[in-house]
Amino acid sequence: MTKKKIIYIDEDARYGGPQHRMILVANQLRKDFDFLFLISSDENKLFKRKLIQYSLNFKEIKITRLSKHKKTLIKYLFFFIPELISLILNLKKLNADIVQVNSTPHFKALLASAILRIPTIWVLEDSNLPYQVKIIFNLLFFIFKPKIIVTSQIVKKYYLKNQKFSKKIRKIYAPASIKEFNYKKFKNKKINTNLIKILMIANLTKIKGIEIFLDIVKKSPKGFKFILCGGFTNTNQNYVKYLTNEFKLFKKKLNYIGHVNYIPKVISKCDILLCTSLSEAGPMTSIEGMLMKKPLISNKVGVIPELFQNKKNTLIVRKNEAKYFLKNIKLLISNDRLKNKIIEDAYKVAIKNFSIETISKKYKNYYKYLIKN
């Protein structure tokens, strides 16, 4: 029996959460479906490396991502129609049974599959985008009515609060690799009260709340060592330059280590994880930290307020401000009983809800349902 073909389209090939999510799912379901990744040929070096690593099929296409960066935005608008036509022609040749659009601003992918009348899934995972993007989303959703996957309840409320198409909406969390983020592989050292290592994993973009993180570093007392792990792209060089200068001001307290290929080892060496993001699908690095049995202090983003409870399996700040993070850091390091309770309860929630097996099964059932109907 010939396997059904599922095409994942990524107009933004910078490797991050959405790309990692679908690589894990495709790798898990490769015996059931024939997957092909259509990815932008721009800034895709790490994405390509990961696809090759997992032996997943992909094809590079010339397509410009939507961006606030002036030159990229002009290029996006100027080449919109030619790139849309090219994408339509590519999809025509590939005979897809399902097209999956892997992020909200991938409008060309949605339009191309809708024009060809291919069953289309649109994955939504943001909850803090420019209002213009949300307006375009609402318009395209109303016209084409694609199937929708949201990665958390917050995302659903953000986009689809007043929509009457609930049957077209599925909530499927992003997966985490329990095998890769296995705390048993590493020595789980106790918190050293002489030097508390506090880690945040985030790319250098404004949506990640890097300036809030820097304010935490600035206002923290002695005895704390902060580590920031994450890459950046060429299109936000001014912001990265600003942050780099700020990092230098706190070099005694802060170690910026850039992009890291093997995250579990970095997490294993920290005592506490922070998340200051303004918008997240997971945040998956926080879930992975929970699998590594590290306590999390987080803003109310993604699945955090949906699945986790303050002082039960995480610490959730009242407001996304430095003083509230510092208050919770002090609480965590002064109360071993609370810390251990949070670690163990969070681990159970992460195992139950985010394993690749659990998430992939939900995708598999949804794909089969769409193909059948």
Side-chain angles (χ1 to χ4, degrees), residues 184-340:
K184 293 177 183 178
K185 291 180 181 179
F186 304 90
K187 290 181 180 179
N188 203 9
K189 295 179 181 179
K190 292 182 180 179
I191 288 179
N192 176 359
T193 51
N194 295 322
L195 187 65
I196 309 300
K197 293 180 181 178
I198 301 171
L199 172 68
M200 191 164 88
I201 303 169
N203 289 329
L204 302 188
T205 59
K206 289 185 179 181
I207 202 73
K208 297 297 184 181
I210 304 295
E211 286 158 280
I212 298 164
F213 175 75
L214 283 174
D215 199 31
I216 297 168
V217 176
K218 180 182 177 182
K219 294 175 179 176
S220 65
K222 290 181 180 179
F224 291 173
K225 182 68 177 180
F226 292 87
I227 302 103
L228 179 60
C229 170
F232 55 87
T233 65
N234 294 329
T235 52
N236 63 342
Q237 285 183 346
N238 289 337
Y239 184 61
V240 171
K241 188 176 180 180
Y242 157 73
L243 290 177
T244 305
N245 289 331
E246 290 292 303
F247 295 160
K248 290 175 183 176
L249 299 175
F250 307 110
K251 59 184 178 181
K252 289 184 179 180
K253 285 185 176 182
L254 172 63
N255 183 17
Y256 171 60
I257 58 176
H259 172 78
V260 174
N261 287 323
Y262 191 56
I263 295 294
K265 190 173 181 179
V266 177
I267 295 176
S268 73
K269 292 180 179 180
C270 82
D271 299 308
I272 297 169
L273 272 172
L274 296 187
C275 175
T276 60
S277 284
L278 309 177
S279 175
E280 285 284 355
M284 290 321 298
T285 51
S286 298
I287 303 301
E288 289 159 353
M290 291 173 183
L291 292 173
M292 295 285 292
K293 292 202 170 185
K294 300 297 179 179
L296 171 70
I297 304 172
S298 177
N299 184 29
K300 297 174 186 176
V301 289
V303 300
I304 297 300
E306 182 180 339
L307 289 177
F308 298 92
Q309 296 176 41
N310 188 37
K311 295 185 180 178
K312 182 179 180 183
N313 37 40
T314 190
L315 290 177
I316 303 172
V317 294
R318 203 166 111 198
K319 289 183 181 179
N320 202 14
E321 295 176 8
K323 63 180 180 181
Y324 295 108
F325 278 94
L326 288 167
K327 182 180 177 182
N328 280 291
I329 290 169
K330 289 172 185 176
L331 174 63
L332 202 57
I333 62 177
S334 65
N335 191 330
D336 278 347
R337 187 177 177 182
L338 176 64
K339 173 179 70 72
N340 292 332

Side-chain angles (χ1 to χ4, degrees), residues 83-197:
E83 288 180 352
L84 175 60
I85 293 169
S86 173
L87 188 53
I88 290 169
L89 294 173
N90 269 287
L91 284 178
K92 249 185 177 180
K93 292 176 185 176
L94 293 168
N95 297 316
D97 293 288
I98 292 174
V99 166
Q100 185 162 305
V101 182
N102 275 330
S103 191
T104 311
H106 297 187
F107 299 129
K108 282 173 274 193
L110 186 280
L111 284 168
S113 58
I115 288 167
L116 293 171
R117 297 187 178 182
I118 303 169
T120 304
I121 300 171
W122 202 352
V123 182
L124 311 177
E125 56 181 19
D126 302 289
S127 58
N128 193 318
L129 285 173
Y131 73 93
Q132 298 95 329
V133 174
K134 198 173 176 184
I135 288 169
I136 297 169
F137 163 79
N138 284 325
L139 180 64
L140 294 177
F141 181 73
F142 179 76
I143 294 170
F144 298 110
K145 298 179 178 58
K147 304 297 188 293
I148 297 289
I149 289 177
V150 295
T151 55
S152 72
Q153 195 63 27
I154 281 180
V155 174
K156 185 178 179 181
K157 286 180 180 178
Y158 180 72
Y159 285 104
L160 303 157
K161 189 177 181 180
N162 301 314
Q163 299 291 351
K164 298 177 181 178
F165 306 105
S166 58
K167 289 183 180 179
K168 294 182 180 288
I169 303 164
R170 292 285 179 99
K171 182 174 69 177
I172 305 178
Y173 302 130
S177 174
I178 296 170
K179 186 178 179 181
E180 184 179 4
F181 292 88
N182 183 353
Y183 72 95
K184 293 177 183 178
K185 291 180 181 179
F186 304 90
K187 290 181 180 179
N188 203 9
K189 295 179 181 179
K190 292 182 180 179
I191 288 179
N192 176 359
T193 51
N194 295 322
L195 187 65
I196 309 300
K197 293 180 181 178

